[in-house]
Amino acid sequence: MTADLILGKEVSEAIYSNLRERIDVLKAKGIEPCLAVIMVGDDPASLVYVNMKDKKCRELGVKSLQQHVPADTSQEELISMIRKLNDDDSVHGILVQLPLPAHIDQSEVIKAINPAKDVDCFHPFNLGNMVIGEADFLPATPAGIHQMILHYGIATKGKHVVIVGRSNIVGKPLANIMMQKGEGVDATVTVVNSRTERFEDIIRMADILIVAMGRPRFITADMVKEGAVVIDVGTNRIEDPAAKNGYRVVGDVDFEHVKEKASAITPVPGGVGPMTICMLMMNTIKAAEMGVRQ
Ligand code: GUN
């Protein structure tokens, strides 16, 4: 058996066509949705992400306000930039690209963002609402995975979802989303990490295995139950002299072998990746719509 492919591009295109309609409605009311992105320093991977977000805003007709400041910017300066954006009614979403330089306390910076504009959903207020199932925003990557599950009609009710990785951005929020009552969720969730005892035994019990650990091709076919759905959040650069830039991107799952055992699987790239920016755009449009209601 070769697995069906779960493709973020296909899912995100369906969502973008809905967002385009909502953007038209906002513009007819004289509102131009606006996302402000703050980037501190010149981390090359972050620059790539920030440029991708900017490009997608332009494609959709969302105003993109980029603020790029040097790596030695102080925490106070950064927080004062955020306060200005909080007070600016023409700005609907605020995103501070992570990671931040070591002299800045990431948690304090996130807490300075007005929760109504926190389109990353990193603020504890929004994360708390997510836990009780009352969120305005969901964190982008977990929300994107949920949308993929809905789009492909993957059964989740009562199923065992095993999440590998417990980050604040992916593992922890995803576990909360998958255990809520509702459509495309309602699952029984286990979260494991690299130190978990009987790691492989637990992973082998997964009906849906979601991997966000950051280790190239760590999950091999022998760890996966026959017929499982496998969602790979990993994006790891590995050296490849034959590739254009001398490297290529692989996931946390050994795709070539696991696809022969799984019933459905996300490729890397082209799986979860396109969903993250899509969900950021969805949150930005939602923030603009919430602004209209207030
Ligand atoms: N760095 C890596 N992923 C993300 C993300 O989703 N949002 C922000 N702000 N920074 C990131």
Side-chain angles (χ1 to χ4, degrees):
M1 183 173 72
T2 297
D4 294 333
L5 290 181
I6 302 172
L7 300 171
K9 187 155 171 49
E10 185 182 311
V11 185
S12 63
E13 282 311 323
I15 293 170
Y16 283 130
S17 72
N18 168 267
L19 292 184
R20 284 194 182 92
E21 287 172 17
R22 289 162 63 182
I23 292 165
D24 287 345
V25 171
L26 284 165
K27 288 195 172 167
K29 292 180 184 159
I31 295 152
E32 185 183 27
C34 172
L35 172 66
V37 176
I38 303 178
M39 159 100 195
V40 185
D42 294 301
D43 177 70
S46 290
L47 277 172
V48 171
Y49 289 131
V50 164
N51 287 334
M52 281 164 68
K53 289 167 188 174
D54 183 60
K55 184 163 166 258
K56 188 50 83 177
C57 281
R58 284 163 201 276
E59 261 175 53
L60 291 175
V62 170
K63 187 172 173 195
S64 164
L65 202 65
Q66 297 257 351
Q67 304 196 338
H68 192 170
V69 293
D72 62 1
T73 301
S74 72
Q75 182 168 317
E76 292 67 33
E77 285 172 298
L78 180 56
I79 288 179
S80 112
M81 286 169 73
I82 293 170
R83 296 228 165 94
K84 283 207 187 80
L85 295 168
N86 284 343
D87 293 340
D88 183 341
D89 289 341
S90 72
V91 172
H92 305 103
I94 303 171
L95 178 157
V96 180
Q97 188 65 29
L98 305 180
L100 290 168
H103 67 278
I104 297 177
D105 182 340
Q106 198 161 288
S107 173
E108 287 303 312
V109 169
I110 288 169
K111 285 182 203 156
I113 298 172
N114 175 353
K117 299 188 179 189
D118 168 39
V119 286
D120 262 331
C121 190
F122 289 169
H123 193 291
F125 177 87
N126 287 323
L127 290 173
N129 277 337
M130 177 198 69
V131 172
I132 59 171
E134 293 181 10
D136 286 323
F137 304 121
L138 293 173
T141 302
I145 292 168
H146 180 222
Q147 290 295 327
M148 292 174 117
I149 287 172
L150 287 174
H151 182 94
Y152 286 96
I154 294 164
T156 51
K157 192 180 176 70
K159 300 291 183 192
H160 188 193
V161 171
V162 177
I163 298 169
V164 188
R166 53 172 161 179
S167 69
N168 287 340
I169 295 186
V170 183
K172 282 184 204 164
L174 184 59
N176 274 286
I177 293 168
M178 294 311 298
M179 70 171 73
Q180 300 291 333
K181 282 189 182 166
E183 199 192 343
V185 286
D186 237 341
T188 300
V189 180
T190 303
V191 182
V192 298
N193 62 71
S194 56
R195 293 194 183 86
T196 300
E197 290 181 12
R198 294 183 291 283
F199 178 90
E200 295 188 14
D201 292 344
I202 297 170
I203 289 183
R204 231 176 265 119
M205 285 173 11
D207 301 309
I208 301 172
L209 177 63
I210 309 176
V211 192
M213 63 190 310
R215 295 205 194 174
R217 296 191 283 222
F218 188 84
I219 302 294
T220 50
D222 57 305
M223 300 183 200
V224 176
K225 183 167 81 175
E226 190 81 41
V229 173
V230 179
I231 297 178
D232 187 353
V233 191
T235 37
N236 310 288
R237 284 184 181 190
I238 59 163
E239 277 184 36
D240 181 356
K244 198 171 63 179
N245 306 317
Y247 70 85
R248 68 193 172 96
V249 173
V250 299
D252 292 347
V253 174
D254 176 10
F255 178 84
E256 285 310 317
H257 296 105
V258 173
K259 80 178 193 319
E260 301 304 326
K261 214 163 170 195
S263 60
I265 188 168
T266 58
V268 176
V272 176
M275 294 307 298
T276 300
I277 289 183
C278 179
M279 293 296 102
L280 173 67
M281 294 299 134
M282 187 159 105
N283 284 346
T284 303
I285 305 312
K286 184 143 197 218
E289 290 167 344
M290 282 168 15
V292 176
R293 287 206 304 268
Q294 275 163 8

